Amino acid sequence: MSTPRVAVIGFAQAPCLPSAGTTSGVETLVPVFQRALAEARLDRREVDFWCSGSSDYLAGRAFSFVNAVDAIGACPPICESHVEMDAAWAFYEAYVKILAGEAETALVYGFGKSSAGRLRRVLALQLDPYTVAPLWPDSVSVAAVQARLALDAGIVTERAMAEVAVRSRADATTNPYAQVSGVLDLDDLLGRPYLAEPLREHDCAPVSDGAAALVLAAGERARAHPRRAWISGVAHRIDPPGLGERDLTAVPSATTAAEAAGLPGDVEVAELHAPFTHQELLLRVALGLDARVRINPSGGALCGNPMFSAGLARIGAAAGQVMSGRVRRAAGHATSGPALQQNLVCVLEAS
Amino acid sequence: MSGVDAPPLSAPLTISFDYTRSLGPVLSRFMTGLRERRVLGSRTADGRVHVPPLEYDPATHAPLTDLVEVAPTGVVTGWTWTDRPLDGQPLDRPFGWALIRLDGAATALLHAVDAGSRDAMRTGMRVRIRWAAERTGHIRDIACFEPGEGPAEADQPAGDPVTVMTTPIRLAYTHTTSPEESRYLRALAEGRLLGQRCPVCRKVYVPPRVCPADGVPTEDEVTLGDHGTVTTFCVVNVPFAGQRRDPPYVVAQILLDGADIPIPHLILGLPADQVRMGMRVAAVWRDRSTWTTTPENIAHFRPTGEPDAPYESFKDHL
């Protein structure tokens, strides 16, 4: 039996907002589903498999992903699954489901109301529950320790980090879903106070509420679609949970994921899920992306980082570059966990 | 429709629970060691000592049982500075977070450094453990680190090994309702039960919600009466923490007349073993002066004495 080829045929996202009202993601998801399915030219009853990424810790309510199933319209019954990670990993599950021949179409979605609680404190709970989480190290401080290691190792500079922020904000001016955008002055940024040294505000993604949905298809449904981005490789890898167990500046799991996904050297665009400026610089090295590769034309997670959908949105944005005919090859990357612990790489091609 | 333009309701929501975890053979010894002011690491096949200890060798996958003591002093390999500590963090004044490699260890652990000021922090600085005055066998037996060197000051072993650790978790949220839920809750404060009709299947949902059959928001508002039918129920016989009523009592699904989805509530006013499917019930409202935007405005439902509704009338709403 030959392995089916799978393509992205639709993508939509909600605007990234500092606060999107309701703690339930259901209302946010309805219009996102409608737009993604319209782009895919698919009726919701033609979706064979639904898969989502979200976390109850964000909203502070149990089984929030079950509530979200209302937005699917689960009558008659549907085939559904969920990951407690960024929806990029739900994308991977759906991709495998299609490769296994158990579905021909899938809708993958992620949602999160990061603003309901204090995000950087909530995220402490994803750390080792015995020796780390009981100290409540917040996610910004953990990232700042990683940035310090990269500075000390001479891999990044505060100026190079600020340049990432300047470029991202400028690119985001053409992205209607971005939360922050505009023209920043490099020297002005470097004079601003630290949030968690060596990170300043511009080095950190804003706290964002949001959602995204992506439609996958194989077979005739993919071939017949006028706009599609074929997936030529996907892989994800994980590093040890102990923050002192790995070289935080090398991102080994990103490197191995890129190798396993067959990330080509001539990729034209890469959407990297880097919630901190130094992480984009680390990822460029880890993924072997040289200066010719256009990074994050959407503005990236630095201009809107809805938890549990920002990684999926990177794949959607990369697919959009291919579907629009602007590029022939693009890469989408997603991360989950602290300090780039888990990394997923997806390669998308026009044919 | 009152309150259409009012902002969605929101309220603080605090969640707290104690995570109680059993430790296993490696972490049990590690935590027991902390209680005695000793830090133990696990040695992997390549000879490296890992602190905090690993339970399995990541290369050979063998269980790691060879725990060795390392020094209470070490070196900062990476750090940041916190001006405004958050709830639950080790110190309530500005402090440094640092990865610290203890002397004798090959890996670093994350902890707080009580350095006084940011200017005292640097990569490569020497630090020593400040032990908590009372130690229970928990990572917080290390109160924090402080700059400097220090002699080992271990205690004699005392007490049973630590096999369980408890970590209190407390999270604060702001819960916000949807505009439709807000109108439902505001109507409750006026003694009205508000549903909404799905534009596709015409079913009426109370409280309003995205139609679970069609995946579209409900639109037309429908005011419902407070009479209904018990579709199904359970008798609560088990006492539990936070329970407000002595068991046995009945929690039922009640299909309000005109609605297509039941709501859960209490059935009181008759012995628990006399509640039945199809029984007709009516809401018993609390005193009007106590009404707020909550379903608790209805104290419970009671039987009306009408003949039972036929099964066919509610069989699709179980």
Side-chain angles (χ1 to χ4, degrees):
Chain A
M1 192 186 97
S2 66
T3 307
R5 290 184 80 199
V6 184
V8 176
I9 60 168
F11 174 70
Q13 61 183 308
C16 298
L17 298 170
S19 177
T22 166
T23 314
S24 146
V26 185
E27 290 81 5
T28 312
L29 284 169
V30 170
V32 174
F33 286 173
Q34 287 170 346
R35 284 190 283 115
L37 289 168
E39 185 176 86
R41 304 184 179 195
L42 215 60
D43 185 88
R44 66 179 178 83
R45 291 173 193 81
E46 297 175 299
V47 175
D48 296 333
F49 181 57
W50 301 75
C51 201
S52 64
S54 69
S55 172
D56 290 351
Y57 278 108
L58 276 200
R61 63 199 307 225
F63 295 104
S64 55
F65 73 95
V66 175
N67 232 48
V69 170
D70 276 1
I72 296 174
C75 187
I78 54 159
C79 185
E80 186 265 352
S81 184
H82 173 257
V83 299
E84 194 88 0
M85 292 183 74
D86 190 285
W89 275 262
F91 163 87
Y92 185 81
E93 181 176 336
Y95 175 69
V96 170
K97 191 97 169 168
I98 294 174
L99 289 186
E102 293 181 18
E104 192 182 37
T105 59
L107 189 147
V108 182
Y109 63 102
F111 63 100
K113 186 176 171 60
S114 310
S115 68
R118 196 164 198 176
L119 181 65
R120 62 196 170 110
R121 192 167 173 275
V122 169
L123 290 180
L125 296 180
Q126 69 184 336
L127 299 161
D128 176 275
Y130 297 97
T131 62
V132 189
L135 307 173
W136 292 93
D138 58 283
S139 55
V140 175
S141 292
V142 170
V145 171
Q146 181 184 39
R148 168 69 56 196
L149 289 164
L151 279 172
D152 286 345
I155 300 169
V156 305
T157 63
E158 291 184 33
R159 176 165 285 268
M161 288 159 59
E163 283 168 356
V164 169
V166 171
R167 194 207 71 238
S168 299
R169 295 281 182 107
D171 283 339
T173 54
T174 57
N175 178 358
Y177 302 100
Q179 182 173 332
V180 293
S181 63
V183 179
L184 299 178
D185 179 79
L186 190 62
D187 291 318
D188 173 52
L189 293 184
L190 291 170
R192 293 196 185 168
Y194 290 114
L195 205 61
E197 188 177 341
L199 300 180
R200 298 177 171 90
E201 192 179 352
H202 65 259
D203 292 309
C204 308
V207 175
S208 315
D209 295 351
L214 184 144
V215 186
L216 291 173
E220 191 54 31
R221 285 198 189 277
R223 281 191 297 276
H225 199 279
R227 283 161 49 92
R228 69 207 167 188
W230 293 105
I231 299 166
S232 67
V234 189
H236 64 93
R237 293 290 187 272
I238 182 168
D239 281 315
L243 292 165
E245 283 287 330
R246 59 180 161 119
D247 178 356
L248 289 175
T249 67
V251 205
S253 60
T255 303
T256 24
E259 286 166 7
L263 181 68
D266 63 348
V267 67
E268 292 154 78
V269 162
E271 281 282 342
L272 305 182
H273 185 195
F276 299 92
T277 52
H278 72 277
Q279 292 184 342
E280 180 185 305
L281 299 171
L282 298 182
L283 284 166
R284 281 194 218 176
V285 177
L287 300 176
L289 302 173
D290 65 29
R292 288 171 300 179
V293 182
R294 178 94 162 83
I295 307 284
N296 290 351
S298 69
L302 285 170
C303 299
N305 184 37
M307 295 303 298
F308 300 93
S309 66
L312 181 71
R314 302 280 73 71
I315 297 169
Q321 293 283 333
V322 174
M323 292 160 80
S324 68
R326 281 191 288 274
V327 305
R328 292 197 53 77
R329 281 179 153 182
H333 159 268
T335 194
S336 195
L340 300 174
Q341 187 200 1
Q342 303 168 55
N343 292 280
L344 179 148
V345 174
C346 173
V347 184
L348 298 141
E349 302 190 341
S351 57
Chain B
M1 292 198 294
S2 64
V4 168
D5 298 316
L9 292 164
S10 65
L13 171 69
T14 301
I15 291 172
S16 58
F17 44 93
D18 289 345
Y19 261 129
T20 303
R21 298 176 183 277
S22 51
L23 292 170
V26 172
L27 286 167
S28 173
R29 287 182 61 194
F30 177 69
M31 297 300 178
T32 304
L34 294 182
R35 195 179 59 188
E36 297 162 7
R37 298 196 285 189
R38 297 175 207 274
V39 181
L40 301 178
S42 57
R43 196 195 303 273
T44 43
D46 59 7
R48 287 158 53 91
V49 175
H50 298 251
V51 177
L54 298 180
E55 295 170 292
Y56 292 89
D57 190 312
T60 69
H61 310 153
L64 294 176
T65 52
D66 179 19
L67 297 194
V68 295
E69 187 170 348
V70 299
T73 52
V75 63
V76 167
T77 62
W79 60 277
T80 184
W81 186 254
T82 288
D83 282 318
R84 288 183 295 278
L86 301 176
D87 281 355
Q89 292 182 342
L91 294 160
D92 57 7
R93 54 184 173 275
F95 70 92
W97 284 111
L99 280 171
I100 296 151
R101 191 174 63 239
L102 293 174
D103 300 333
T107 67
L109 63 83
L110 187 75
H111 218 297
V113 179
D114 191 10
S117 93
R118 173 261 165 263
D119 296 332
M121 292 295 297
R122 61 181 170 81
T123 302
M125 73 190 285
R126 298 284 303 167
V127 292
R128 66 179 170 223
I129 291 176
R130 181 189 297 162
W131 294 102
E134 300 215 356
R135 293 175 306 283
T136 60
H138 193 278
I139 188 65
R140 299 197 67 149
D141 289 354
I142 299 175
C144 62
F145 283 75
E146 59 194 19
E149 303 285 348
E153 48 177 346
D155 299 331
Q156 292 305 308
D160 296 331
V162 179
T163 58
V164 169
M165 65 178 273
T166 301
T167 301
I169 301 293
R170 185 179 167 87
L171 296 166
Y173 297 91
T174 301
H175 181 68
T176 309
T177 64
S178 70
E180 294 79 10
E181 288 170 322
S182 297
R183 289 202 288 276
Y184 167 75
L185 294 169
R186 287 187 167 111
L188 273 177
E190 299 166 2
R192 291 187 300 128
L193 285 156
L194 205 59
Q196 281 197 321
R197 193 184 298 281
C198 170
V200 179
C201 68
R202 310 301 295 164
K203 287 187 171 159
V204 172
Y205 294 101
V206 54
R209 60 194 288 185
V210 169
C211 176
D214 295 296
V216 296
T218 51
E219 290 175 351
D220 301 337
E221 288 191 347
V222 181
T223 299
L224 298 160
D226 61 3
H227 285 54
T229 301
V230 173
T231 63
T232 185
F233 64 94
C234 76
V235 181
V236 179
N237 287 300
V238 181
F240 55 85
Q243 197 168 41
R244 297 186 190 181
R245 178 169 297 282
D246 292 332
Y249 59 91
V250 173
V251 175
Q253 290 285 86
I254 298 153
L255 186 67
L256 295 172
D257 296 345
D260 290 290
I261 195 168
I263 59 170
H265 221 302
L266 296 166
I267 306 289
L268 301 177
L270 76 170
D273 61 5
Q274 290 179 24
V275 175
R276 55 198 182 269
M277 292 170 75
M279 196 171 74
R280 296 286 297 159
V281 293
V284 177
W285 293 79
R286 294 185 198 278
D287 184 84
R288 176 177 284 268
S289 65
T290 67
W291 288 353
T292 60
T293 51
T294 155
E296 292 185 345
N297 294 351
I298 295 174
H300 58 267
F301 280 76
R302 60 158 178 84
T304 63
E306 297 167 80
D308 285 2
Y311 178 70
E312 286 68 32
S313 68
F314 61 85
K315 70 178 171 59
D316 292 334
H317 304 292
L318 300 174

